[in-house]
Amino acid sequence: MGRLLNQIKEPNDIKRISPKLYPVLAEEIRDFLLNNVSQTGGHLASNLGAVEITMALHICLRFPEDKVVYDVGHQSYVHKILTGRKDEFSTLRQKDGLCGFPKRSESECDVFGTGHSSTSISAALGLAVARDLEQKDNTVVAVIGDGALSGGMAYEALNNLSILRKEKKNMIIILNDNKMSISENVGGMSRYLNDLRSRKSYSEFKENVESALNNIPGVGKSVARTLKKSKDSIKQLFIPGMLFENMGITYYGLVNGHDIYELIHAINRAKQHEGPVLIHAITRKGMGYKNAEKNPEKFHGIGPFDRQSGELLAKKTKKTYTDVFADSLVALAKNNKKIVAITAAMPSGTGLKSFKKYYPKRFFDVGIAEEHAVTFAAGLAAQGMHPVFAVYSSFLQRGYDQILHDVCIQKLPVFFCIDRSGLVGADGETHQGIFDISYLSHIPNMVLMAPKNGREMPGMMKFALEHNGPIAMKYPRGSVYEGLSEYNAPVELGKSEVIHEGQDVVILSVGSIMEECEKAVQHLQEKGYNPGLVNVRFIRPMDEDLLRELAAKYPLIVTVEENELIGGYGQMVSAFLHKNKYHNDLLSLGISDYFVRHATVAQQREQAGIDADSIVKSIIDRMN
């Protein structure tokens, strides 16, 4: 560890570092990040790009009295290092270790937990208003990337900042502008910021003009005041659109986001301002590590890698569910020109980059705007197109109202392809896809499917694109399960697939948890039991005919799902049995009413009791 970084053990220790050594400290922090993230994996490029911004904040502010909210939070590693947590970085994103996002329970300096995009300005405004109501004078800062600024919630918050302008109360927004979210940014805001980048620094120009005018004897100060009040002042000439200033937010930029001294000057000036201020800092994602600078998307979130070459230590050997989805959609779109694909700033993560390559005019990246994506898809469907919205499960949550009102009420044929459904591992609580069954299965007109393995996916997708109504398919992160490939019955609406007949107990497996359920069946057979096994396939509509057959045959019915039990498939089966006056013993296994922390998926399954050994134990305990 570097000699300067070694001196930082508690919050505010950075203030003891000599200002002339700040660039050296920045190098040491980048070296520390590379050494640690190359071993644990994590969000690298975003943190390398935010080193100087975070240092400047810690130099200008005092923690935990002052407050910083990091949008998404995947760029908060440097903040953690500077607040006394650097010795825990060997445990980053591991079970019981350091979280990869800000976490209130982890440190007083993490004032607001984040993990999803575009929330920072809203949260910071809440903190600032609470500060003012309590008559305190601490500084509140929101750090937001230009990618997160494409999310609608950010504009709702910007609009509401008039609260502070009216009361002449301060809040600082730092726009960390690197032209990237996970992938390259798209849309009107991206073009607006590109235009701003091409202009000479407005703040520098304005200061120079005002300074020169003020020095003119007699008339200079009067002219400067007049210019400030004029609607056609120099601001209108040099900032296209004046978006921020017209919303009552003083714009300060452009600032070199890798010049620590320029950043310190900007933050200290912003602290003295009455009303909200936006500092527009230009940074480079992956700064200081050539591999990440060349390919920031690859190093946005990465597993353990070789620092010298940048290559992953664990080589990909199997296709992922995302790969199968991507290949299948490209193949289906070849013969169906009405298929269009939509992503919310995740073309690579969702597998739609290949669709874009083959069908660029039928591909739409709407930015970080899931609500808009859903209703945009509904509009396409209303005109006879077959829209496919590929989205992570935890991100689709933001479009719930639009799914219900704009898609399902109108019975529009939108196909939701829900990636990262179920447990996702190291990203932790904010990214687990364990609520989608609960928030989709109760909506009228919605069809919800889950394939047991990679082979089943293409058939489900073909079925979905021929279905005349809202339909969703959920599938997990990671490599496909290749077992049970010999079982591949045709996909029929609301029909499950019987894998094994049995006698003592039957297991109803939802989606990819089939891998654990199949192992559990083998273990039970070895112990002398005779279990049945069913691939649920359709969560909604349920296969009620099969459920009646199972209820007549098996004394014990077991449901297994990688979803919250509340509102999950198990509760749906329970309600069916109760309604129809069946008295079978029902054992529902899933996530039992808690937020799942970061760990490996295997560890998370074991904790939830849905790994093979736990399933076997639960069944034997119940039978005995």
Side-chain angles (χ1 to χ4, degrees):
M1 190 182 297
R3 63 183 180 87
L4 295 178
L5 192 55
N6 204 37
Q7 296 175 36
I8 298 175
K9 299 178 180 179
E10 300 290 339
N12 306 306
D13 280 353
I14 193 173
K15 298 180 187 296
R16 299 206 300 262
I17 303 295
S18 169
K20 68 181 181 181
L21 296 176
Y22 290 158
V24 178
L25 177 59
E27 287 184 22
E28 291 186 6
I29 290 173
R30 285 192 168 91
D31 186 63
F32 178 87
L33 286 170
L34 282 165
N35 281 340
N36 281 273
V37 178
S38 64
Q39 295 178 53
T40 62
H43 291 96
L44 181 64
S46 52
N47 283 286
L48 292 173
V51 170
E52 286 84 4
I53 286 176
T54 308
M55 284 178 57
L57 286 168
H58 280 261
I59 290 162
C60 296
L61 308 183
R62 185 158 195 87
F63 290 91
E65 293 84 2
D66 293 323
K67 316 295 181 186
V68 176
V69 182
Y70 287 95
D71 210 287
V72 183
H74 61 309
Q75 77 284 50
S76 64
Y77 294 5
V78 183
H79 172 74
K80 290 174 184 269
I81 291 168
L82 297 178
T83 50
R85 287 171 274 178
K86 66 178 183 293
D87 293 340
E88 299 172 58
F89 261 76
S90 61
T91 70
L92 181 68
R93 292 160 50 91
Q94 298 172 34
K95 188 174 186 291
D96 301 324
L98 199 65
C99 180
F101 297 91
K103 195 170 183 63
R104 283 165 54 85
S105 61
E106 197 175 275
S107 170
E108 279 187 286
C109 300
D110 291 3
V111 65
F112 197 84
T114 50
H116 283 193
S117 172
S118 311
T119 64
S120 62
I121 303 175
S122 299
L125 179 57
L127 296 172
V129 170
R131 169 202 65 194
D132 299 338
L133 289 171
E134 294 181 333
Q135 298 184 332
K136 296 180 179 179
D137 62 355
N138 57 289
T139 300
V140 177
V141 181
V143 180
I144 185 168
D146 52 318
L149 204 60
S150 70
M153 188 174 172
Y155 296 97
E156 295 175 23
L158 288 171
N159 181 61
N160 199 215
L161 280 173
S162 59
I163 297 172
L164 298 181
R165 185 190 183 193
K166 182 179 179 181
E167 300 295 328
K168 296 184 178 180
K169 300 295 186 181
N170 179 260
M171 187 184 113
I172 301 170
I173 302 167
I174 296 182
L175 173 55
N176 178 14
D177 182 356
N178 59 22
K179 305 182 186 179
M180 300 282 291
S181 48
I182 294 176
S183 304
E184 282 199 36
N185 287 323
V186 296
M189 175 52 69
S190 178
R191 286 193 297 273
Y192 174 78
L193 294 177
N194 276 331
D195 202 357
L196 279 179
R197 292 184 204 106
S198 69
R199 303 298 180 102
K200 179 178 171 64
S201 170
Y202 160 66
S203 297
E204 177 187 337
F205 178 82
K206 185 176 73 170
E207 287 174 14
N208 290 341
V209 170
E210 290 180 1
S211 177
L213 288 172
N214 285 327
N215 288 328
I216 298 174
V219 298
K221 290 184 179 180
S222 175
V223 173
R225 283 196 299 271
T226 301
L227 278 173
K228 279 185 178 181
K229 293 177 181 178
S230 171
K231 290 182 179 179
D232 297 317
S233 68
I234 55 173
K235 292 189 293 186
Q236 300 291 343
L237 296 175
F238 289 91
I239 296 190
M242 282 296 297
L243 173 66
F244 301 114
E245 297 243 2
N246 284 339
M247 296 182 80
I249 304 161
T250 298
Y251 175 88
Y252 192 98
L254 301 169
V255 175
N256 182 348
H258 298 301
D259 185 326
I260 184 69
Y261 306 106
E262 191 175 344
L263 285 164
I264 290 170
H265 173 71
I267 293 168
N268 281 330
R269 277 182 57 85
K271 285 171 62 180
Q272 305 307 315
H273 186 76
E274 291 184 344
V277 184
L278 185 141
I279 299 172
H280 187 175
I282 306 299
T283 62
R284 184 167 187 175
K285 195 168 182 178
M287 180 69 177
Y289 180 50
K290 288 184 178 179
N291 292 316
E293 288 181 13
K294 290 178 181 177
N295 193 348
E297 190 171 347
K298 173 183 175 181
F299 286 90
H300 172 80
I302 191 168
F305 64 95
D306 178 80
R307 177 172 173 174
Q308 190 66 30
S309 67
E311 294 302 315
L312 287 167
L313 297 181
K315 299 295 182 182
K316 180 179 170 182
T317 58
K318 292 182 178 179
K319 273 193 169 187
T320 64
Y321 284 92
T322 306
D323 293 334
V324 175
F325 159 75
D327 293 345
S328 300
L329 188 63
V330 167
L332 288 163
K334 183 178 180 180
N335 298 316
N336 185 345
K337 290 182 170 53
K338 289 186 177 292
I339 292 175
V340 293
I342 302 166
T343 180
M346 301 285 291
S348 294
T350 59
L352 287 182
K353 250 193 171 176
S354 57
F355 187 95
K356 179 183 179 181
K357 176 184 175 182
Y358 288 101
Y359 313 108
K361 291 185 178 180
R362 292 193 268 159
F363 167 82
F364 303 95
D365 185 344
V366 302
I368 302 176
E370 288 81 4
E371 301 97 323
H372 162 63
V374 174
T375 304
F376 173 55
L380 285 162
Q383 287 299 299
M385 304 303 289
H386 295 164
V388 177
F389 180 26
V391 59
Y392 288 5
S393 176
S394 65
F395 297 164
L396 183 59
Q397 292 163 184
R398 291 185 287 203
Y400 172 81
D401 184 66
Q402 290 73 20
I403 295 169
L404 195 156
H405 278 260
D406 299 332
V407 177
C408 289
I409 286 179
Q410 303 185 87
K411 301 182 182 179
L412 291 170
V414 176
F415 182 20
F416 298 95
C417 294
I418 308 173
D419 203 329
R420 269 63 166 179
S421 180
L423 297 164
V424 299
D427 280 339
E429 292 147 305
T430 55
H431 285 63
Q432 307 291 357
I434 58 173
F435 303 100
D436 46 30
I437 293 177
S438 302
Y439 70 73
L440 290 176
S441 62
H442 67 280
I443 305 178
N445 299 326
M446 176 60 80
V447 172
L448 181 56
M449 310 177 292
K452 68 179 181 296
N453 56 22
R455 186 177 178 188
E456 199 162 62
M457 280 186 76
M460 279 193 173
M461 292 177 65
K462 184 176 183 297
F463 172 86
L465 288 165
E466 294 170 352
H467 178 73
N468 188 25
I471 189 164
M473 178 182 70
K474 57 191 248 75
Y475 49 96
R477 181 181 192 172
S479 299
V480 296
Y481 172 50
E482 296 176 341
L484 302 176
S485 58
E486 67 274 23
Y487 296 90
N488 200 30
V491 179
E492 298 178 52
L493 180 64
K495 294 298 180 183
S496 298
E497 180 185 45
V498 177
I499 304 297
H500 301 308
E501 295 281 0
Q503 185 176 356
D504 310 301
V505 57
V506 63
I507 300 174
L508 277 62
S509 171
V510 179
S512 63
I513 199 66
M514 177 62 79
E515 183 173 4
E516 300 293 341
C517 292
E518 171 66 2
K519 290 178 188 173
V521 164
Q522 293 172 4
H523 296 337
L524 286 167
Q525 289 171 340
E526 291 166 3
K527 295 178 181 292
Y529 296 94
N530 185 13
L533 179 62
V534 171
N535 171 27
V536 169
R537 275 192 171 175
F538 284 87
I539 299 154
R540 178 189 173 96
M542 298 173 67
D543 191 342
E544 295 187 353
D545 290 339
L546 179 62
L547 284 174
R548 289 186 179 91
E549 292 177 21
L550 299 177
K553 180 177 181 180
Y554 295 95
L556 174 60
I557 297 173
V558 180
T559 63
V560 186
E561 59 194 305
E562 222 168 60
N563 191 84
E564 273 280 343
L565 286 171
I566 298 174
Y569 180 73
Q571 282 198 350
M572 294 169 67
V573 173
S574 177
F576 172 84
L577 295 174
H578 177 75
K579 178 182 177 181
N580 290 279
K581 296 182 171 56
Y582 290 109
H583 301 290
N584 304 70
D585 193 6
L586 175 66
L587 173 62
S588 294
L589 302 177
I591 316 298
S592 183
D593 197 24
Y594 65 94
F595 288 108
V596 180
R597 290 173 56 88
H598 51 282
T600 66
V601 171
Q603 290 169 331
Q604 291 166 343
R605 284 179 170 177
E606 182 179 1
Q607 180 188 14
I610 53 174
D611 63 303
D613 289 342
S614 298
I615 293 169
V616 170
K617 183 178 185 305
S618 295
I619 289 173
I620 292 175
D621 287 348
R622 179 61 66 90
M623 292 178 75
N624 290 340

